[in-house]
Amino acid sequence: MMPMPEPISIDEVNVLTPVEFRQRFGNIIECCPDVAAALSSQRPFINVESMALAANRFLDQLQPQGKERVLLLHPDLAGRLAEQGQLTHESSREQKSAGLDSLSPADKTRINELNKRYRAKFGFPFVICARENKVANIFQGLEARLSNARETELEIGINEVKKICRLRIRELIYDN
């Protein structure tokens, strides 16, 4: 698990080699270095927001199967990977910020059951921007979203990925 690198300026981002760019931004979308490769070729960016918008466009242009693949790269919240300490550095910090690392045994059982039901219904994990939520909101969102149609959940999940991505980019680049 690699720690977060120190933030750099947008000017520094724009002069990274493609390899350096992929190394730095390869996990702005969980375990999806393809986005970094695509964004690298779209430089120069004028600011953090322009890079985040380019990442959004990357996601928006994916076919439904591609969006599903992006969602499948995300771990279950407070799931097996978290229990085994195998989350990416970013996911670990994000889940911890929401309080998912300190669930009671009852809440742990509950979230595992909800995750299982969600994945069985939709075929991909429940994705929510953990940094913008706490445990109660996550449970509420999981329960409420179980009643959605698959197409709706695919779009909601991708919109949550966009929020996560924007926050990750903001951590890697400081505004001038």
Side-chain angles (χ1 to χ4, degrees):
M1 190 160 60
M2 295 282 299
M4 207 69 146
E6 288 297 314
I8 60 175
S9 72
I10 197 69
D11 292 333
E12 291 170 298
V13 168
N14 288 329
V15 296
L16 292 173
T17 68
V19 169
E20 292 167 334
F21 190 93
R22 281 191 306 276
Q23 287 171 339
R24 177 169 282 273
F25 299 106
N27 206 41
I28 56 172
I29 293 177
E30 187 75 10
C31 300
C32 186
D34 292 353
V35 70
L39 294 180
S40 177
S41 67
Q42 295 179 38
R43 291 179 289 168
F45 295 110
I46 57 170
N47 55 29
V48 174
E49 190 59 24
S50 67
M51 186 169 161
L53 290 171
N56 287 354
R57 282 191 303 276
F58 173 88
L59 290 166
D60 288 338
Q61 291 171 1
L62 293 174
Q63 295 300 312
Q65 306 89 321
K67 291 178 180 182
E68 185 176 329
R69 278 193 295 277
V70 166
L71 295 177
L72 284 166
L73 295 171
H74 286 76
D76 285 330
L77 296 175
R80 180 182 50 81
L81 292 178
E83 289 173 4
Q84 296 173 350
Q86 294 181 341
L87 293 174
T88 63
H89 177 73
E90 296 88 348
S91 282
S92 181
R93 281 185 318 109
E94 291 159 357
Q95 290 197 26
K96 184 175 184 169
S97 76
L100 293 169
D101 63 327
S102 56
L103 294 174
S104 69
D107 280 346
K108 183 79 178 124
T109 299
R110 183 175 167 213
I111 200 163
N112 285 336
E113 186 167 307
L114 288 168
N115 279 333
K116 210 175 292 179
R117 284 178 47 208
Y118 185 96
R119 195 181 277 268
K121 179 172 181 179
F122 298 113
F124 46 81
F126 174 77
V127 176
I128 192 168
C129 183
R131 282 198 271 179
E132 292 184 352
N133 290 279
K134 293 296 179 200
V135 171
N137 301 76
I138 291 169
F139 277 121
Q140 184 179 19
L142 238 169
E143 289 171 348
R145 286 172 51 188
L146 273 165
S147 64
N148 287 339
R150 189 173 193 284
E151 299 75 31
T152 302
E153 271 310 295
L154 193 59
E155 288 308 311
I156 291 172
I158 288 298
N159 285 331
E160 293 297 315
V161 170
K162 289 176 183 178
K163 293 176 191 177
I164 295 164
C165 179
R166 174 174 270 109
L167 291 170
R168 288 182 179 185
I169 290 171
R170 288 187 175 281
E171 284 184 328
L172 294 167
I173 306 169
Y174 64 80
D175 283 319
N176 294 343

